[in-house]
Amino acid sequence: MKHNKIIVCVCSDDHERRQMVQRVAIKLGFALTMSDANKVVRHTPRDFDLSEAYFIIAASYNLNESPHTTHQLYRLAIQGVAVVVGVKRLQPLFEPMCYVYYQGDL
């Protein structure tokens, strides 16, 4: 299901957050198993070439860290590109532009 928003997995534990991102990658059809999903998940969105990426699936990102990168991710999501990032916490400022999964949701 397309949301045209950044899909965010919120969890303070790094390992659990990565597993959540992997489960979302499976749900979106980018992988069949957790080990397959691990191959497509990168550490941060900056590990992708944002100008040519067909999808962005990253285990760790801070939406406040780089407004330029966050804007690019939002632009890609609006265009229909799958953008999935894991965050430690989600600030209320970013809630309208995100579809959020919390630890108990997956």
Side-chain angles (χ1 to χ4, degrees):
M1 186 160 113
K2 274 196 170 177
H3 299 285
N4 290 10
K5 293 184 174 185
I6 298 172
I7 300 170
V8 177
C9 298
V10 181
C11 183
S12 59
D13 180 50
D14 292 337
H15 180 69
E16 180 62 32
R17 186 172 57 246
R18 185 173 186 90
Q19 286 183 340
M20 289 173 65
V21 170
Q22 289 172 342
R23 287 188 209 110
V24 171
I26 292 170
K27 186 176 180 179
L28 294 176
F30 289 100
L32 297 175
T33 64
M34 290 292 275
S35 63
D36 288 343
N38 193 39
K39 295 174 187 175
V40 297
V41 175
R42 304 274 172 84
H43 185 64
T44 67
R46 288 182 295 283
D47 295 334
F48 289 90
D49 180 4
L50 296 180
S51 64
E52 296 182 10
Y54 291 105
F55 63 88
I56 307 294
I57 303 176
S60 181
Y61 186 61
N62 180 354
L63 294 169
N64 277 332
E65 186 176 306
S66 172
H68 178 70
T69 302
T70 302
H71 177 73
Q72 282 184 303
L73 294 176
Y74 187 56
R75 183 181 51 79
L76 289 169
I78 288 173
Q79 293 174 353
V81 174
V83 179
V84 182
V85 295
V87 298
K88 287 187 179 184
R89 65 183 199 93
L90 183 64
Q91 295 80 11
L93 168 70
F94 297 110
E95 286 179 6
M97 63 189 220
C98 297
Y99 185 80
V100 183
Y101 287 106
Y102 292 99
Q103 196 167 0
D105 295 343
L106 294 173

